[in-house]
Amino acid sequence: MSRPYVIDQMISAKSIAARIEALARDIHDAFDGTDKLVVVGLLRGSFVFIADLVRELDLPVEVDFIEASSYGDGMESSREVRILKDLRGTIEGRDVLIVEDIVDTGHTLSHVTDYLRSRHPARLKTIALLDKPARREVDFRADWTGFEIPDAFVVGYGIDFAQRNRNLPYIGQVRFTDDA
Ligand code: 5GP
């Protein structure tokens, strides 16, 4: 049975856009001069973020996607990470930027990073729009983070709750209205 909830805005669309501009400048500086950058989005939660990020990146980029198992339709992280859909292209000798929506326990991004590193990219960096450091279970930090947020369940800007709310232009926090 689904519980009733409302969504309280946590990060506005305007703040996200401003932060992405700054992140894109940092990424540009880190990969300056590259002509072999592959930006890898982790499906599905990163699809809005990666779309906005690559349009701010003044570098020649290729875009690829990988999908790992995550929350399923619930609100609990699965600690065992499986690759559900692999990259289409090869990354050996290429520069790679992995784009994730949220680093929570850290299992997903740390697993995907190890998985792709084993293919011998030239350089491999990670970026996450959101980071919940209080929830970390493995020692992992993305190279770039958009916003650190508290331990809350968030939706919007590509991020879902049971496949809904991905189309919200902002990041919002789910609040159940049947709570005492
Ligand atoms: P981790 O492996 O770091 O625990 O989890 C990463 C994945 O869990 C994220 O890619 C995201 O799919 C999911 N996740 C973590 N926190 C949230 C959240 O607040 N809301 C939603 N919808 N998914 C989350």
Side-chain angles (χ1 to χ4, degrees):
M1 197 183 74
S2 62
R3 295 170 62 191
Y5 65 92
V6 294
I7 296 167
D8 300 321
Q9 180 171 302
M10 183 187 272
I11 307 170
S12 70
K14 211 171 150 187
S15 307
I16 297 170
R19 185 73 188 115
I20 288 177
E21 267 186 49
L23 288 166
R25 281 195 295 274
D26 291 350
I27 293 166
H28 181 278
D29 291 349
F31 287 112
D32 197 15
T34 186
D35 60 356
K36 52 183 181 186
L37 179 60
V38 188
V39 182
V40 173
L42 249 112
L43 291 172
R44 281 172 265 180
S46 73
F47 80 101
V48 176
F49 181 36
I50 192 174
D52 283 347
L53 184 66
V54 293
R55 284 181 292 176
E56 288 296 329
L57 265 187
D58 188 17
L59 290 171
V61 299
E62 289 181 22
V63 174
D64 206 338
F65 292 96
I66 190 165
E67 184 171 9
S69 57
S70 65
Y71 276 27
D73 278 351
M75 293 176 79
E76 264 309 302
S77 181
S78 51
R79 279 156 191 85
E80 187 200 330
V81 181
R82 285 173 304 123
I83 302 299
L84 303 177
K85 179 209 166 294
D86 212 328
L87 299 178
R88 288 287 293 271
T90 162
I91 55 165
E92 186 171 351
R94 314 281 305 267
D95 289 329
V96 173
L97 175 66
I98 307 176
V99 180
E100 169 68 312
D101 55 356
I102 309 175
V103 181
D104 186 34
T105 63
H107 288 283
T108 306
L109 198 49
S110 106
H111 179 91
V112 171
T113 302
D114 288 348
Y115 181 68
L116 294 186
R117 190 170 280 130
S118 71
R119 293 183 188 170
H120 309 293
R123 285 182 288 188
L124 187 147
K125 301 265 187 202
T126 53
I127 181 169
L129 179 66
L130 305 175
D131 187 1
K132 297 189 207 172
R135 298 253 314 159
R136 199 71 91 253
E137 292 179 6
V138 294
D139 184 18
F140 184 89
R141 238 190 114 74
D143 294 294
W144 294 283
T145 296
F147 302 89
E148 281 196 2
I149 60 168
D151 177 10
F153 191 80
V154 295
V155 293
Y157 198 71
I159 302 164
D160 74 306
F161 177 27
Q163 300 308 324
R164 305 284 291 270
N165 306 302
R166 291 191 196 273
N167 55 329
L168 290 176
Y170 56 85
I171 297 289
Q173 174 172 355
V174 170
R175 179 163 52 89
F176 291 102
T177 49
D178 59 357
D179 275 351

